[in-house]
Amino acid sequence: MSAEYERLKKCLSCIREKTDFVPKTAIVLGSGLGALADEIDIACEVDYHDIDGFPIPTVSGHKGRFIFGYIGKIPVVIMQGRVHYYEGYSMRDVVLPIRLMRMMGGKILFLTNAAGGVNPSFAAGDFMLIRDQISNFLPSPLIGENVCELGVRFPDMSEIYDKRLSSTVKDVAKELGIPLREGVYVQLSGPNYESPQEVKMCRLLGGDAVGMSTACEAIAAVHCGFKVCGISCITNLACGITDAPLSHKEVSESAARVAPLFKKLITESVIKTANLKG
Ligand code: HPA
């Protein structure tokens, strides 16, 4: 057994001591987007501190717990708080929770984040469905011994964000009258925000939004067999697109402002995607 799989099994058994809940859909909530947890008919909560070997978030605005419960009739697990590479964790640590949620039984994964808009036609408060991503400014989370119990050594990444899920989310947004952009997410390491020239580079590469999470999680998720859907909340225009300096406070406040609409979009999307046949 690979060492990482052994570690994951230990984490899973800590969770199984507290609950035997089997989620269908797993959801990762980005900065300031934690309010979605209010919509859940909660069955159980597990604090990250109670899971041996689990990476603990250090950033303010990121809580640290799994919430198990129901959205409509759909069994879900929500990660309220995630860890980032910039916190000093290894990529393996950063994606451990994703793999763990797959081992709990999750089949569909919703990744959400706060991101800076690189596409000049975007505005703060927009939502962007992630069509594809650029992740190679950071090491792959799959470097090192392959966790062969979860997936293959050289996984295909031709459709990281599942087209059927994406098209369902677009339908939901249309039905709810919520404008939804679509584009390419670029992950950079952070924790500093980008320079104006770095933002220009992201745009030249075909990026529409930039952030410090998600892409590495999506790679690990595809590797272990999740169907993945990604939605960014554009909390600000990236540096240089406007002259306004950026702050974490502004990002968190902007996410909190659109949280009610975001909640609606995710809630309905979780229900619709879980009910897709096949
Ligand atoms: N850059 C990187 N990450 C971010 C930003 C940004 O402008 N806004 C929110 N997360």
PDB file of all heavy atoms in Angstrom, residues 154-171:
ATOM      1  N   PHE A 154      -0.302   8.470 -14.917  1.00  0.00           N
ATOM      2  CA  PHE A 154      -0.352   9.545 -15.910  1.00  0.00           C
ATOM      3  C   PHE A 154      -1.806   9.841 -16.299  1.00  0.00           C
ATOM      4  O   PHE A 154      -2.253   9.458 -17.379  1.00  0.00           O
ATOM      5  CB  PHE A 154       0.449   9.153 -17.162  1.00  0.00           C
ATOM      6  CG  PHE A 154       1.910   8.887 -16.884  1.00  0.00           C
ATOM      7  CD1 PHE A 154       2.424   7.593 -16.909  1.00  0.00           C
ATOM      8  CD2 PHE A 154       2.782   9.932 -16.593  1.00  0.00           C
ATOM      9  CE1 PHE A 154       3.766   7.348 -16.648  1.00  0.00           C
ATOM     10  CE2 PHE A 154       4.127   9.695 -16.331  1.00  0.00           C
ATOM     11  CZ  PHE A 154       4.623   8.396 -16.351  1.00  0.00           C
ATOM     12  N   PRO A 155      -2.541  10.491 -15.441  1.00  0.00           N
ATOM     13  CA  PRO A 155      -3.973  10.689 -15.725  1.00  0.00           C
ATOM     14  C   PRO A 155      -4.222  11.722 -16.830  1.00  0.00           C
ATOM     15  O   PRO A 155      -3.503  12.714 -16.936  1.00  0.00           O
ATOM     16  CB  PRO A 155      -4.530  11.180 -14.391  1.00  0.00           C
ATOM     17  CG  PRO A 155      -3.368  11.779 -13.687  1.00  0.00           C
ATOM     18  CD  PRO A 155      -2.144  11.037 -14.132  1.00  0.00           C
ATOM     19  N   ASP A 156      -5.244  11.463 -17.620  1.00  0.00           N
ATOM     20  CA  ASP A 156      -5.660  12.371 -18.691  1.00  0.00           C
ATOM     21  C   ASP A 156      -6.308  13.620 -18.082  1.00  0.00           C
ATOM     22  O   ASP A 156      -7.037  13.512 -17.092  1.00  0.00           O
ATOM     23  CB  ASP A 156      -6.675  11.619 -19.569  1.00  0.00           C
ATOM     24  CG  ASP A 156      -7.302  12.530 -20.597  1.00  0.00           C
ATOM     25  OD1 ASP A 156      -6.550  13.123 -21.394  1.00  0.00           O
ATOM     26  OD2 ASP A 156      -8.540  12.668 -20.607  1.00  0.00           O
ATOM     27  N   MET A 157      -6.017  14.774 -18.667  1.00  0.00           N
ATOM     28  CA  MET A 157      -6.604  16.027 -18.150  1.00  0.00           C
ATOM     29  C   MET A 157      -7.318  16.777 -19.280  1.00  0.00           C
ATOM     30  O   MET A 157      -7.379  18.001 -19.287  1.00  0.00           O
ATOM     31  CB  MET A 157      -5.498  16.924 -17.534  1.00  0.00           C
ATOM     32  CG  MET A 157      -4.867  16.352 -16.292  1.00  0.00           C
ATOM     33  SD  MET A 157      -5.925  16.431 -14.817  1.00  0.00           S
ATOM     34  CE  MET A 157      -5.431  14.930 -13.960  1.00  0.00           C
ATOM     35  N   SER A 158      -7.858  16.027 -20.240  1.00  0.00           N
ATOM     36  CA  SER A 158      -8.480  16.702 -21.386  1.00  0.00           C
ATOM     37  C   SER A 158      -9.843  17.304 -21.021  1.00  0.00           C
ATOM     38  O   SER A 158     -10.323  18.202 -21.710  1.00  0.00           O
ATOM     39  CB  SER A 158      -8.600  15.749 -22.573  1.00  0.00           C
ATOM     40  OG  SER A 158      -9.280  14.580 -22.187  1.00  0.00           O
ATOM     41  N   GLU A 159     -10.438  16.818 -19.942  1.00  0.00           N
ATOM     42  CA  GLU A 159     -11.726  17.413 -19.524  1.00  0.00           C
ATOM     43  C   GLU A 159     -11.762  17.454 -17.999  1.00  0.00           C
ATOM     44  O   GLU A 159     -12.477  16.685 -17.356  1.00  0.00           O
ATOM     45  CB  GLU A 159     -12.888  16.581 -20.091  1.00  0.00           C
ATOM     46  CG  GLU A 159     -14.234  17.260 -19.931  1.00  0.00           C
ATOM     47  CD  GLU A 159     -15.403  16.405 -20.450  1.00  0.00           C
ATOM     48  OE1 GLU A 159     -15.279  15.787 -21.520  1.00  0.00           O
ATOM     49  OE2 GLU A 159     -16.429  16.376 -19.749  1.00  0.00           O
ATOM     50  N   ILE A 160     -10.953  18.355 -17.441  1.00  0.00           N
ATOM     51  CA  ILE A 160     -10.875  18.435 -15.977  1.00  0.00           C
ATOM     52  C   ILE A 160     -12.246  18.800 -15.406  1.00  0.00           C
ATOM     53  O   ILE A 160     -12.717  18.210 -14.435  1.00  0.00           O
ATOM     54  CB  ILE A 160      -9.811  19.477 -15.550  1.00  0.00           C
ATOM     55  CG1 ILE A 160      -8.424  19.035 -16.035  1.00  0.00           C
ATOM     56  CG2 ILE A 160      -9.824  19.683 -14.036  1.00  0.00           C
ATOM     57  CD1 ILE A 160      -7.294  20.004 -15.735  1.00  0.00           C
ATOM     58  N   TYR A 161     -12.878  19.780 -16.018  1.00  0.00           N
ATOM     59  CA  TYR A 161     -14.204  20.226 -15.562  1.00  0.00           C
ATOM     60  C   TYR A 161     -15.251  19.552 -16.435  1.00  0.00           C
ATOM     61  O   TYR A 161     -15.295  19.789 -17.648  1.00  0.00           O
ATOM     62  CB  TYR A 161     -14.283  21.760 -15.595  1.00  0.00           C
ATOM     63  CG  TYR A 161     -13.285  22.347 -14.632  1.00  0.00           C
ATOM     64  CD1 TYR A 161     -11.994  22.710 -15.053  1.00  0.00           C
ATOM     65  CD2 TYR A 161     -13.590  22.473 -13.283  1.00  0.00           C
ATOM     66  CE1 TYR A 161     -11.046  23.198 -14.148  1.00  0.00           C
ATOM     67  CE2 TYR A 161     -12.651  22.964 -12.376  1.00  0.00           C
ATOM     68  CZ  TYR A 161     -11.386  23.314 -12.813  1.00  0.00           C
ATOM     69  OH  TYR A 161     -10.459  23.778 -11.916  1.00  0.00           O
ATOM     70  N   ASP A 162     -16.026  18.700 -15.829  1.00  0.00           N
ATOM     71  CA  ASP A 162     -16.949  17.819 -16.535  1.00  0.00           C
ATOM     72  C   ASP A 162     -17.984  18.639 -17.338  1.00  0.00           C
ATOM     73  O   ASP A 162     -18.684  19.490 -16.778  1.00  0.00           O
ATOM     74  CB  ASP A 162     -17.653  16.947 -15.489  1.00  0.00           C
ATOM     75  CG  ASP A 162     -18.536  15.896 -16.123  1.00  0.00           C
ATOM     76  OD1 ASP A 162     -18.001  14.823 -16.450  1.00  0.00           O
ATOM     77  OD2 ASP A 162     -19.739  16.172 -16.293  1.00  0.00           O
ATOM     78  N   LYS A 163     -18.063  18.336 -18.643  1.00  0.00           N
ATOM     79  CA  LYS A 163     -18.915  19.157 -19.526  1.00  0.00           C
ATOM     80  C   LYS A 163     -20.395  19.026 -19.169  1.00  0.00           C
ATOM     81  O   LYS A 163     -21.139  19.993 -19.252  1.00  0.00           O
ATOM     82  CB  LYS A 163     -18.694  18.732 -20.983  1.00  0.00           C
ATOM     83  CG  LYS A 163     -17.336  19.133 -21.508  1.00  0.00           C
ATOM     84  CD  LYS A 163     -17.403  19.440 -23.013  1.00  0.00           C
ATOM     85  CE  LYS A 163     -16.140  20.124 -23.493  1.00  0.00           C
ATOM     86  NZ  LYS A 163     -15.045  19.217 -23.839  1.00  0.00           N
ATOM     87  N   ARG A 164     -20.807  17.836 -18.770  1.00  0.00           N
ATOM     88  CA  ARG A 164     -22.216  17.631 -18.443  1.00  0.00           C
ATOM     89  C   ARG A 164     -22.595  18.402 -17.173  1.00  0.00           C
ATOM     90  O   ARG A 164     -23.644  19.034 -17.097  1.00  0.00           O
ATOM     91  CB  ARG A 164     -22.433  16.133 -18.226  1.00  0.00           C
ATOM     92  CG  ARG A 164     -23.755  15.670 -18.747  1.00  0.00           C
ATOM     93  CD  ARG A 164     -23.731  14.173 -18.965  1.00  0.00           C
ATOM     94  NE  ARG A 164     -25.017  13.643 -18.591  1.00  0.00           N
ATOM     95  CZ  ARG A 164     -25.223  12.753 -17.638  1.00  0.00           C
ATOM     96  NH1 ARG A 164     -24.220  12.255 -16.937  1.00  0.00           N
ATOM     97  NH2 ARG A 164     -26.437  12.329 -17.386  1.00  0.00           N
ATOM     98  N   LEU A 165     -21.715  18.358 -16.192  1.00  0.00           N
ATOM     99  CA  LEU A 165     -21.978  19.128 -14.967  1.00  0.00           C
ATOM    100  C   LEU A 165     -22.018  20.614 -15.294  1.00  0.00           C
ATOM    101  O   LEU A 165     -22.907  21.347 -14.844  1.00  0.00           O
ATOM    102  CB  LEU A 165     -20.888  18.880 -13.912  1.00  0.00           C
ATOM    103  CG  LEU A 165     -20.757  17.495 -13.305  1.00  0.00           C
ATOM    104  CD1 LEU A 165     -19.724  17.518 -12.184  1.00  0.00           C
ATOM    105  CD2 LEU A 165     -22.073  16.992 -12.766  1.00  0.00           C
ATOM    106  N   SER A 166     -21.048  21.065 -16.099  1.00  0.00           N
ATOM    107  CA  SER A 166     -20.964  22.492 -16.436  1.00  0.00           C
ATOM    108  C   SER A 166     -22.222  22.946 -17.150  1.00  0.00           C
ATOM    109  O   SER A 166     -22.762  24.023 -16.862  1.00  0.00           O
ATOM    110  CB  SER A 166     -19.746  22.761 -17.321  1.00  0.00           C
ATOM    111  OG  SER A 166     -18.577  22.448 -16.603  1.00  0.00           O
ATOM    112  N   SER A 167     -22.690  22.118 -18.076  1.00  0.00           N
ATOM    113  CA  SER A 167     -23.865  22.545 -18.827  1.00  0.00           C
ATOM    114  C   SER A 167     -25.103  22.575 -17.919  1.00  0.00           C
ATOM    115  O   SER A 167     -25.969  23.447 -18.064  1.00  0.00           O
ATOM    116  CB  SER A 167     -24.001  21.679 -20.087  1.00  0.00           C
ATOM    117  OG  SER A 167     -25.183  20.996 -20.117  1.00  0.00           O
ATOM    118  N   THR A 168     -25.148  21.681 -16.931  1.00  0.00           N
ATOM    119  CA  THR A 168     -26.251  21.706 -15.962  1.00  0.00           C
ATOM    120  C   THR A 168     -26.192  22.978 -15.112  1.00  0.00           C
ATOM    121  O   THR A 168     -27.223  23.615 -14.856  1.00  0.00           O
ATOM    122  CB  THR A 168     -26.184  20.455 -15.054  1.00  0.00           C
ATOM    123  OG1 THR A 168     -26.139  19.305 -15.890  1.00  0.00           O
ATOM    124  CG2 THR A 168     -27.361  20.359 -14.119  1.00  0.00           C
ATOM    125  N   VAL A 169     -24.991  23.361 -14.696  1.00  0.00           N
ATOM    126  CA  VAL A 169     -24.860  24.588 -13.888  1.00  0.00           C
ATOM    127  C   VAL A 169     -25.282  25.806 -14.719  1.00  0.00           C
ATOM    128  O   VAL A 169     -25.948  26.723 -14.213  1.00  0.00           O
ATOM    129  CB  VAL A 169     -23.409  24.751 -13.369  1.00  0.00           C
ATOM    130  CG1 VAL A 169     -23.222  26.096 -12.671  1.00  0.00           C
ATOM    131  CG2 VAL A 169     -23.052  23.616 -12.421  1.00  0.00           C
ATOM    132  N   LYS A 170     -24.931  25.797 -16.005  1.00  0.00           N
ATOM    133  CA  LYS A 170     -25.342  26.924 -16.868  1.00  0.00           C
ATOM    134  C   LYS A 170     -26.866  26.998 -16.963  1.00  0.00           C
ATOM    135  O   LYS A 170     -27.447  28.078 -16.901  1.00  0.00           O
ATOM    136  CB  LYS A 170     -24.737  26.752 -18.273  1.00  0.00           C
ATOM    137  CG  LYS A 170     -23.292  27.187 -18.344  1.00  0.00           C
ATOM    138  CD  LYS A 170     -22.852  27.376 -19.776  1.00  0.00           C
ATOM    139  CE  LYS A 170     -21.962  26.235 -20.196  1.00  0.00           C
ATOM    140  NZ  LYS A 170     -21.437  26.361 -21.552  1.00  0.00           N
ATOM    141  N   ASP A 171     -27.512  25.831 -17.105  1.00  0.00           N
ATOM    142  CA  ASP A 171     -28.983  25.795 -17.160  1.00  0.00           C
ATOM    143  C   ASP A 171     -29.582  26.355 -15.867  1.00  0.00           C
ATOM    144  O   ASP A 171     -30.531  27.132 -15.898  1.00  0.00           O
ATOM    145  CB  ASP A 171     -29.487  24.345 -17.338  1.00  0.00           C
ATOM    146  CG  ASP A 171     -29.161  23.796 -18.713  1.00  0.00           C
ATOM    147  OD1 ASP A 171     -28.801  24.601 -19.597  1.00  0.00           O
ATOM    148  OD2 ASP A 171     -29.262  22.557 -18.898  1.00  0.00           O
TER     149      ASP A 171
END
